[in-house]
Amino acid sequence: QPGLIGISNVGSTVAGSNLTVSGNAVTAKANVNYASNALNLVASNTQDGSGAVNNVQTSAVVGGVTATIGDTATPVNVGIAPPVPVSGSTLTVSGNALNAQAGGNTAVNALSATALNSIGSGGVAASSSSATGTTTGSTQATFAVLNYQGNSSAMTATVQFASIGLGASTSLVNSTATVQNNAVLASGYGNTASNSLGLSALTGNANAASSGISNVQYNTGSVTALVSNVSAGIAGSAGVSGGLATVSGNSIAAQAVGNSAVNRIVALR
């Protein structure tokens, strides 16, 4: 069967058998910029320095960014397609995923400063993030994490003409058919960031340092996420007798986000 990930052409019948399609993934990803930045400062006695992580990303793709799964000419099907009688058998389609993702800027920024006895105020890190040299985000602290992201690209993520599950059988007798915990997701985003800063938790005045996170994001591009002509389940059969058919825990979703950020300052012990 064209576009099938799974089991087909099983012969004239399925009897006394176990057929499973599990843990498969169809993925289309188009991401403009991705960065993972980490600075770990470790002192065996006293930490007297300063430090900063400064991330700058811009995206301006002419014509936009597109990630697509499926079309009318090449539909995508994940599962079992037995157009034959099924008896005394177990058919399972579980834990499969269709994922289309179109993204502009992605960043994971982390800084940690640890010491056994003390952390001083040190030199102040006055940093800024900018795409053109002009200050667009800043913080003045001993330890700092700064993130600047700008996206003007159009993002489009699409999953279409696709299915996850069991195709129609001529009959289902004394058999178990299960379609569960499968996922279909189309997601588009302009900017996403995770910024974290951790300092040693010391008693009294042993930690005199200051810390700060600056996150600046702008998105002027359109963000579109679309799921259409998609199904997850069990197609009808000519007859079911003495069997059990279950469809549960499946999800079909479309998500479009302009800007997303998670900022954390934590005490390290």
Side-chain angles (χ1 to χ4, degrees), residues 1 8 15 18 30 43 79 85 89 124 126 133-135 147 151 155 165 169 193 198 208 215 223 228 235 257 266:
Q1 181 176 333
S8 65
N18 292 324
S89 299
V124 173
T134 59
T135 300
N147 182 67
N151 174 66
M155 301 292 159
S169 63
N215 183 77
V223 181
S228 67
V257 177
V266 299

Side-chain angles (χ1 to χ4, degrees), residues 162-194:
S163 68
I164 298 178
L166 301 175
S169 63
T170 56
S171 65
L172 190 67
V173 179
N174 297 325
S175 298
T176 299
T178 302
V179 177
Q180 64 180 5
N181 300 329
N182 301 286
V184 177
L185 175 63
S187 62
Y189 65 88
N191 303 295
T192 181
S194 172

Side-chain angles (χ1 to χ4, degrees), residues 85-104:
V86 177
S87 64
S89 299
T90 299
L91 311 181
T92 304
V93 178
S94 65
N96 302 286
L98 305 178
N99 183 13
Q101 182 186 92

Side-chain angles (χ1 to χ4, degrees), residues 98-111:
L98 305 178
N99 183 13
Q101 182 186 92
N105 301 304
T106 302
V108 179
N109 305 306
L111 185 151

Side-chain angles (χ1 to χ4, degrees), residues 218-248:
Y218 78 85
N219 179 69
T220 58
S222 62
V223 181
T224 303
L226 174 67
V227 175
S228 67
N229 295 290
V230 171
S231 65
I234 301 173
S237 63
V240 178
S241 176
L244 176 64
T246 302
V247 178
S248 67

